[in-house]
């Protein structure tokens, strides 16, 4: 986004630019993340969100980072903070709150899309440590037995992220994250029992350290978002929209594997979790194709997420949602 308020601008501030030249140590990231997690600072006060910080510093971005899905952590509400404004680079008009939200969700959908792509040497560092070690071992074996390097590289594209646990995944329950933050900041020994995390069967991103925590995560709102983009596993429709947005034509040889958009996008962690009714999905009509060609990319993103997520989420909000939001 092009910011026109007096926030931090990396390209114009040499001191800030120098600070963000290289990825910071993990200790610094833990402190910054802790400030956002404890709500000590936010995007209105700092002038940037947690996602901006990760991009500016060149840090690795993982869809397992639960705070990327928290809007208030990544951009201010235009209604509450009118002095913060963002311009659409295509038509130089001010972006509305819904448009900024759609652009943020689009970036998350692109992240999920890229995350499911096969391994390449360029994406090697984004994979978990066991995966990278497996790639190294295969390349060493190939070299030892005289296998052509190109073939060894091609073989690694058949490895899957899902074969090894990701050390970046952690429980999404807020209280559990606070406990983990305290352990990290005070360098205390992990008190976890070493049990593997429970992965949400719907989005395959949200994690919990127990069935009870997974149930609480769903009651806190994840259940409503689990089966909508960008939280859900990218469907063929999502990937087609990403390709359309990026101007890609034809099927790519490295297109990620896609799971069918089944309605069973919920986690069955307890028998007493009520089954929710499937929402009615709306698609962009073919009679609007000519209009879409004249619309900005921001408008296309907002239209897609409005039809696939926002409208359904508004319909599923409980009666006192606005009451609690005002508090």
């Amino acid at each position: 986004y092009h910011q026109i308020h007096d926030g931090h601008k990396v390209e114009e501030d040499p001191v800030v630019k120098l600070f963000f030249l290289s990825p910071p140590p993990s200790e610094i990231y833990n402190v910054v993340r802790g400030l956002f997690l404890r709500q000590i600072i936010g995007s209105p006060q700092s002038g940037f969100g947690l996602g901006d910080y990760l991009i500016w510093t060149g840090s690795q971005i993982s869809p397992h980072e639960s705070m990327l899905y928290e809007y208030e952590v990544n951009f201010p509400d235009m209604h509450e903070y009118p002095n913060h404004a963002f311009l659409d680079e295509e038509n130089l008009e001010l972006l509305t709150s819904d448009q900024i939200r759609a652009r943020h969700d689009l970036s998350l959908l692109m992240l999920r899309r890229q995350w499911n792509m096969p391994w390449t040497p360029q994406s090697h560092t984004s994979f978990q440590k066991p995966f990278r070690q497996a790639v190294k071992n295969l390349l060493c074996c190939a070299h030892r037995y005289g296998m052509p390097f190109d073939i060894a590289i091609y073989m690694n594209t058949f490895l899957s992220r899902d074969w090894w646990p990701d050390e970046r995944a952690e429980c999404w329950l807020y209280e559990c994250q606070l406990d983990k933050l305290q352990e990290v900041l005070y360098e205390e020994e992990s008190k976890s029992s070493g049990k593997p995390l429970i992965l949400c069967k719907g989005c395959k991103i949200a994690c919990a350290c127990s069935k009870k925590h997974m149930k609480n995560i769903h009651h806190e709102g994840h259940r409503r978002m689990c089966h909508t983009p960008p939280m859900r596993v990218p469907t063929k429709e999502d990937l087609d929209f990403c390709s359309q947005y990026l101007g890609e034509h034809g099927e790519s040889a490295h297109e990620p594997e896609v799971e069918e958009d089944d309605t069973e996008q919920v986690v069955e962690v307890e028998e007493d979790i009520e089954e929710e009714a499937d929402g009615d999905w709306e698609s962009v009509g073919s009679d609007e194709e000519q209009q879409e060609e004249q619309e900005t990319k921001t408008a296309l993103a907002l239209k897609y997420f409005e039809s696939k997520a926002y409208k359904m989420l508004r319909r599923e909000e409980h009666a006192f949602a606005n009451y609690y939001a005002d508090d």
Side-chain angles (χ1 to χ4, degrees):
Y1 307 139
H2 295 281
Q3 295 193 22
I4 59 175
H5 66 90
D6 297 330
H8 298 286
K9 299 182 180 180
V10 176
E11 67 276 9
E12 297 180 5
D13 192 332
V15 177
V16 176
K17 187 174 182 180
L18 179 63
F19 177 76
F20 288 121
L21 276 179
S22 58
S26 58
E27 293 82 4
I28 296 181
Y29 169 70
N30 290 332
V31 171
V32 174
R33 185 181 186 278
L35 293 175
F36 281 102
L37 181 64
R38 296 295 300 270
Q39 303 176 8
I40 298 177
I41 63 171
S43 53
Q45 295 81 16
S46 61
F48 61 89
L50 181 62
D52 296 323
Y53 173 81
L54 292 174
I55 294 176
W56 291 349
T57 58
S59 303
Q60 293 186 8
I61 303 178
S62 166
H64 292 292
E65 174 55 74
S66 60
M67 295 182 65
L68 291 178
Y69 302 91
E70 301 289 340
Y71 296 131
E72 63 274 8
V73 174
N74 292 281
F75 55 85
D77 189 331
M78 298 297 100
H79 300 293
E80 298 181 6
Y81 302 95
N83 294 330
H84 290 69
F86 299 87
L87 285 179
D88 189 334
E89 62 275 8
E90 294 186 74
N91 54 20
L92 299 182
E93 294 182 358
L94 293 178
L95 294 174
T96 65
S97 296
D98 290 338
Q99 289 175 329
I100 294 176
R101 177 186 179 186
R103 290 180 62 147
H104 178 76
D105 283 342
L106 178 62
S107 66
L108 294 178
L109 180 58
M110 292 289 186
L111 175 62
R112 295 293 305 275
R113 173 180 183 258
Q114 193 65 29
W115 198 256
N116 293 330
M117 289 287 187
W119 174 91
T120 63
Q122 293 75 20
S123 64
H124 178 72
T125 57
S126 71
F127 286 80
Q128 58 266 49
K129 292 180 180 178
F131 188 106
R132 299 198 304 268
Q133 186 61 45
V135 169
K136 179 180 178 181
N137 293 340
L138 288 175
L139 292 177
C140 288
C141 292
H143 175 74
R144 180 181 180 88
Y145 292 99
M147 180 182 295
F149 186 72
D150 292 342
I151 296 180
I153 291 294
Y154 180 69
M155 288 176 54
N156 289 324
T157 63
F158 291 94
L159 302 180
S160 173
R161 286 185 186 269
D162 299 334
W163 292 356
W164 293 276
D166 197 317
E167 66 277 2
R168 292 161 293 193
E170 61 180 11
C171 182
W172 281 28
L173 189 67
Y174 181 69
E175 290 77 8
C176 200
Q177 291 193 49
L178 291 179
D179 294 339
K180 183 65 176 179
L181 175 65
Q182 185 176 5
E183 293 177 9
V184 171
L185 295 181
Y186 289 94
E187 298 181 349
E188 294 183 1
E189 302 228 350
S190 177
K191 300 178 181 179
S192 63
S193 59
K195 295 181 180 180
L197 292 173
I198 299 174
L199 188 65
C200 176
K201 296 179 182 179
C203 64
K204 297 185 178 180
I205 285 294
C207 298
C209 54
S210 66
K211 290 185 177 181
K212 179 180 179 181
H213 281 191
M214 180 62 77
K215 182 179 178 181
N216 291 339
I217 292 171
H218 275 262
H219 285 324
E220 288 178 356
H222 177 73
R223 187 180 183 88
R224 295 172 51 248
M225 302 176 61
C226 181
H227 52 284
T228 60
M231 185 72 72
R232 70 184 181 189
V233 176
T235 63
K236 184 179 185 303
E237 187 178 25
D238 294 336
L239 298 179
D240 289 343
F241 173 73
C242 291
S243 297
Q244 175 190 355
Y245 185 90
L246 296 174
E248 299 174 349
H249 301 285
E251 295 184 0
S252 173
H254 296 286
E255 197 68 21
E257 295 183 2
V258 183
E259 296 191 4
E260 294 296 331
D261 183 19
D262 54 7
T263 56
E264 191 179 358
Q265 293 274 342
V266 252
V267 175
E268 300 176 357
V269 293
E270 295 289 344
E271 294 182 356
D272 58 344
I273 294 184
E274 299 179 356
E275 293 292 336
E276 294 189 354
D278 296 331
D280 295 330
W281 297 96
E282 298 181 3
S283 58
V284 179
S286 58
D287 57 339
E288 300 179 357
E289 292 181 356
Q290 295 181 352
Q291 180 181 358
E292 289 179 0
E293 295 179 357
Q294 301 176 354
E295 292 178 323
T296 64
K297 289 188 174 181
T298 298
L300 290 176
L302 178 58
K303 178 182 293 185
Y304 185 80
F305 286 103
E306 176 67 26
S307 63
K308 304 302 177 185
Y310 302 161
K311 183 180 295 184
M312 175 180 293
L313 294 178
R314 285 196 299 267
R315 186 166 63 244
E316 294 180 356
E317 277 187 348
H318 56 80
F320 299 100
N322 294 331
Y323 173 81
Y324 291 119
D326 295 337
D327 291 344

